[in-house]
């Protein structure tokens, strides 16, 4: 589906411009040097995100390597998403929200029943989105790793406890990531309705892939 929206499109040639409905998955191969921009259309929507080397999916996003390299559990402009061998996958080049989560993980039917009760067992979740969309690219359960949650607000207390609270995003805020090599991106536009990560009301997001004339080289 092509977006027909008022939010500005990032500079460069637009290769893809799509709206991902609330609760739905999405995926794309983003070529080295191209930029993926994720726009939070309604505000306060969590966007669960995995990224792999497009040519060797055994090289995939690693939360420990990413956190260790930047000495921060939060992502923002300048953050480099690193793989399990510490190599760069994507770099955050622009961020109008200011802080994104690396620790909260993806909701699943199992975690929903544990946290919110067995009456939630039938609810769709991000783990199912990842499996369905990843399966289109030959990925399975063993390929799912700890994910990024763009726009999700997960503060960490002094004692190390995590909280999932109201988001700090707003309608039209965006985050842009430059691919440092050809990467496969798999997204779940989170369907969670049992905690405040989506304001209890999941909303669509916009995914825009752009290409500039001069592609930046990989981050070392």
């Amino acid at each position: 589906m092509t977006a027909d929206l008022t939010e500005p499109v990032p500079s460069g040639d637009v290769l893809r411009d799509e709206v991902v409905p609330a609760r739905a998955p999405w995926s794309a191969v983003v070529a080295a040097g191209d930029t993926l921009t994720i726009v939070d259309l309604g505000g306060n929507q969590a966007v669960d995100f995995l990224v792999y080397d497009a040519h060797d999916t055994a090289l995939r996003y690693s939360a420990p390597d990413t956190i260790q390299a930047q000495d921060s559990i939060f992502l923002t402009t300048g953050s480099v998403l690193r793989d399990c061998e510490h190599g760069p996958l994507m770099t955050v080049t622009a961020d109008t929200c200011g802080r994104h989560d690396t620790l909260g993980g993806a909701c699943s039917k199992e975690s929903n029943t544990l946290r919110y009760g067995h009456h939630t067992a039938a609810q769709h979740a991000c783990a199912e989105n990842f499996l369905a969309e990843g399966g289109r690219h030959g990925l399975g359960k063993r390929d799912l790793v700890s994910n990024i949650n763009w726009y999700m607000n997960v503060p960490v207390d002094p004692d190390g406890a995590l909280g999932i609270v109201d988001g700090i995003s707003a309608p039209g805020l965006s985050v842009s990531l430059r691919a440092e090599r050809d990467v496969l991106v798999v997204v779940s536009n989170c369907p969670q309705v049992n905690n405040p990560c989506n304001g209890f009301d999941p909303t669509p997001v916009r995914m825009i892939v752009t290409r500039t004339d001069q592609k930046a080289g990989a981050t070392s």
Side-chain angles (χ1 to χ4, degrees), residues 41-153:
L41 295 175
N44 207 21
Q45 173 65 21
V47 182
D48 290 41
F49 179 99
L50 291 170
V51 58
Y52 305 80
D53 185 304
H55 305 291
D56 181 2
T57 56
L59 299 173
R60 69 277 306 266
Y61 169 72
S62 168
D65 285 270
T66 299
I67 292 168
Q68 184 273 331
Q70 68 171 8
D71 196 28
S72 174
I73 61 174
F74 299 114
L75 301 175
T76 188
T77 305
S79 296
V80 179
L81 312 186
R82 295 189 176 271
D83 67 23
C84 49
E85 294 185 355
H86 212 69
L89 290 163
M90 304 186 86
T91 299
V92 182
T93 56
D95 175 21
T96 58
C97 179
R99 192 180 77 187
H100 306 268
D101 168 62
T102 62
L103 301 179
C107 60
S108 66
K109 292 182 178 181
E110 293 80 8
S111 64
N112 281 344
T113 57
L114 179 65
R115 292 173 177 170
Y116 310 114
H118 287 283
H119 67 282
T120 66
Q123 293 178 0
H124 194 61
C126 285
E128 286 71 45
N129 273 344
F130 280 147
L131 288 172
E133 192 68 17
R136 298 178 58 241
H137 304 278
L139 303 176
K141 287 185 177 180
R142 292 185 177 183
D143 300 300
L144 300 189
V145 294
S146 296
N147 60 283
I148 295 165
N149 294 305
W150 301 112
Y151 303 108
M152 187 165 158
N153 188 14

